[in-house]
Amino acid sequence: MVFEAATVPVLKSSLWAILLFLFSSSSMAFDPLDPFGNITIKWDVISWTADGYVATVTMNNFQMYRHIMSPGWTLGWNWAKKEVIWSMVGAQTTEQGDCSKFKGGNQPHCCKRNPVVVDLLPGVPYNQQISNCCKGGVVSSWGQDPSAAVSAFQVSVGLSGTSNKTVKLPKNFTLLAPGPGYTCGPATIVPSTVYLTPDRRRKTQALMTWNVTCTYSQFLVSKHPRCCVSFSSFYNETITPCPSCSCGCQNKDRCIKSDSKRLSMVGINTPRKDNEPLLQCTHHMCPIRVHWHVKQNYKDYWRVKMAVTNFNYRLNYTQWTLVAQHPNLNNVTQVFSFDYKPLVPYQSINDTGMFYGMKFYNDLLMEAGPTGNVQSEVLMQKDKNTFTFKQGWAFPRKVYFNGEECKLPPPEEYPSLPNSATTESIMISAMAASTFWFLQVFIW
């Protein structure tokens, strides 16, 4: 079969679109907006001991907008032999296990065949710390702060091999960050890590290195989304709400009304060990709602207002991230109140951006209540060849909060232009419309 030259690009783009659909529709860990994002756990053997080795374990979060929030990561694995952990620096196992066969005062830190490790809290004594440890398991996303997108600890392993040929790699790695969602592959031996001395004049290297790669799938966390999106605009008084039961209505019987007297009870905001939310009663029953409001229209620019509202009384969100996909994000002029970073995973397509809070200003989204929201405005320059208010063009194609895709309203319910209106006829928006939206979205 022969194709004309003009047909080939169309076929390539169509095949790429089909591949994206197949990956994003399955349980496979593929994120089309962050296709190379993963968490890599690297073990560097830095010395041999009489019965094993000492290794530095480094966790790098290469995900652009999915961070590990409090209460932090939990890492587990199975030993291949009958290894024990003699000691740890910068982390600890949650259980010691049965170490009764070891006589005398020199007891191992952990004797379990399947140890579970957690990070130490900030402020531990210096002799229990190493570089990049002791942050309570909180790890930034790579897009927000690469220097904080790492966590590390040191482990001394005994009853193990004492050379590259006799060491057996741990297996069956698991990662909770802090809940489920990650699937870890097998440990793989890679070229040894190379280190530079402080004066940068000499190189040393690890005695042995292996990597474990963990990828995230939202389908493993919940069959329902955990955030939703609502829309409004200055040219239409109708607010398009989140779809009903966007996040499932399984908590409908346990929600609490915003005017309930229970909210004054002591401890109502205390998180539970099982992380069960206490949601405000809404028609969408989502912990998070993102509102996108088309606020104003100018000759060469247009303005959008975004608001993120927390409806969970038991959880605040530190270092939160908001990702939006829209064709005009290729020409952002100014972002107010949020930090912003364009995401360009495919280089030639610049339609996705990450918004996140300014440090010490609004990088903490408080629990549900009067202060449980953050908001910003975005000014974008128009491309006169593509810009329009027709057919919902002004609204985002995808929205993610903390790395999880949010439920959007169906396209037929997007705010529409009045029948007689054109882009030119609504060049300058009315201040009354913006005031109406502001009152509605926070009272509604």
Side-chain angles (χ1 to χ4, degrees):
M1 184 179 292
V2 178
F3 296 102
E4 294 183 5
T7 312
V8 174
V10 177
L11 287 173
K12 284 185 176 180
S13 61
S14 300
L15 288 170
W16 180 240
I18 292 170
L19 285 172
L20 286 180
F21 173 78
L22 289 173
F23 273 110
S24 60
S25 301
S26 70
S27 59
M28 299 178 73
F30 177 81
D31 183 349
L33 300 188
D34 189 15
F36 310 109
N38 64 64
I39 291 180
T40 299
I41 302 163
K42 181 176 65 170
W43 290 56
D44 289 314
V45 176
I46 57 175
S47 66
W48 301 114
T49 61
D51 68 339
Y53 59 88
V54 176
T56 299
V57 182
T58 306
M59 182 185 301
N60 285 288
N61 183 9
F62 294 117
Q63 298 173 111
M64 292 302 296
Y65 48 78
R66 186 176 295 108
H67 66 290
I68 302 175
M69 58 188 292
S70 181
W73 55 261
T74 301
L75 179 66
W77 64 83
N78 287 355
W79 291 118
K81 297 181 180 179
K82 295 183 179 180
E83 294 92 336
V84 296
I85 297 176
W86 282 114
S87 63
M88 298 190 75
V89 182
Q92 64 184 3
T93 60
T94 57
E95 297 181 52
Q96 183 184 28
D98 182 7
C99 295
S100 58
K101 69 178 182 180
F102 293 89
K103 308 301 181 184
N106 191 20
Q107 290 281 311
H109 177 81
C110 179
C111 299
K112 291 182 69 69
R113 293 291 305 277
N114 54 339
V116 175
V117 176
V118 294
D119 195 13
L120 294 182
L121 298 174
V124 299
Y126 288 113
N127 63 353
Q128 298 178 31
Q129 298 184 32
I130 67 167
S131 179
N132 294 315
C133 84
C134 314
K135 298 181 284 188
V138 175
V139 181
S140 175
S141 66
W142 189 262
Q144 279 181 286
D145 185 358
S147 66
V150 60
S151 186
F153 61 89
Q154 194 175 95
V155 58
S156 177
V157 180
L159 303 185
S160 170
T162 56
S163 72
N164 297 45
K165 294 183 178 180
T166 57
V167 165
K168 296 293 184 182
L169 308 190
K171 56 186 180 180
N172 300 332
F173 280 85
T174 59
L175 176 64
L176 302 177
Y182 286 91
T183 302
C184 299
T188 304
I189 296 176
V190 296
S192 295
T193 300
V194 175
Y195 307 98
L196 281 175
T197 56
D199 62 7
R200 307 186 70 82
R201 299 175 65 189
R202 170 178 161 81
K203 293 180 180 180
T204 60
Q205 68 179 50
L207 303 175
M208 185 178 184
T209 299
W210 60 84
N211 279 353
V212 177
T213 301
C214 303
T215 52
Y216 184 84
S217 173
Q218 187 170 336
F219 300 97
L220 298 177
V221 180
S222 172
K223 62 180 181 180
H224 300 292
R226 295 200 285 190
C227 54
C228 66
V229 184
S230 56
F231 294 143
S232 63
S233 66
F234 68 88
Y235 53 78
N236 191 320
E237 292 185 354
T238 302
I239 293 177
T240 301
C242 290
S244 295
C245 291
S246 292
C247 300
C249 281
Q250 63 272 19
N251 292 315
K252 194 76 172 179
D253 297 334
R254 299 188 297 276
C255 66
I256 185 168
K257 294 184 178 179
S258 58
D259 58 354
S260 172
K261 293 182 179 179
R262 288 177 57 197
L263 294 176
S264 60
M265 294 172 55
V266 177
I268 192 72
N269 299 117
T270 304
R272 291 175 44 157
K273 288 186 178 180
D274 60 2
N275 290 323
E276 182 180 349
L278 179 61
L279 298 183
Q280 185 181 124
C281 295
T282 60
H283 73 282
H284 53 74
M285 290 305 295
C286 288
I288 293 291
R289 183 192 67 202
V290 179
H291 189 80
W292 178 286
H293 173 66
V294 180
K295 184 177 180 180
Q296 287 177 303
N297 184 35
Y298 309 105
K299 180 181 179 181
D300 298 315
Y301 301 89
W302 63 297
R303 184 186 293 254
V304 167
K305 185 162 189 173
M306 298 179 298
V308 183
T309 305
N310 187 0
F311 291 97
N312 188 351
Y313 287 103
R314 288 188 181 142
L315 182 66
N316 55 44
Y317 295 86
T318 57
Q319 299 180 20
W320 56 267
T321 61
L322 176 67
V323 171
Q325 184 181 40
H326 188 283
N328 213 162
L329 287 176
N330 65 349
N331 213 345
V332 172
T333 301
Q334 189 171 1
V335 177
F336 305 85
S337 304
F338 290 172
D339 283 329
Y340 174 76
K341 179 175 290 187
L343 302 178
V344 195
Y346 304 108
Q347 302 303 318
S348 60
I349 305 174
N350 180 15
D351 64 352
T352 305
M354 177 178 70
F355 303 87
Y356 53 103
M358 296 179 175
K359 201 166 187 178
F360 306 122
Y361 176 60
N362 57 1
D363 59 341
L364 174 63
L365 174 57
M366 296 296 292
E367 65 270 4
T371 59
N373 66 84
V374 290
Q375 52 188 298
S376 178
E377 295 188 7
V378 185
L379 186 67
M380 291 172 277
Q381 187 172 4
K382 296 177 181 177
D383 180 344
K384 295 181 180 179
N385 295 320
T386 59
F387 180 83
T388 180
F389 283 128
K390 296 178 180 179
Q391 299 177 334
W393 184 90
F395 299 101
R397 281 51 171 166
K398 286 179 180 288
V399 173
Y400 289 62
F401 180 80
N402 274 3
E404 298 200 3
E405 188 170 357
C406 303
K407 179 77 171 180
L408 271 66
E412 62 270 17
E413 295 183 10
Y414 287 15
S416 58
L417 284 170
N419 291 334
S420 59
T422 64
T423 301
E424 290 74 19
S425 67
I426 52 174
M427 190 63 72
I428 304 298
S429 64
M431 182 65 71
S434 296
T435 305
F436 172 83
W437 167 80
F438 181 84
L439 293 173
Q440 288 290 315
V441 77
F442 287 103
I443 295 175
W444 160 70

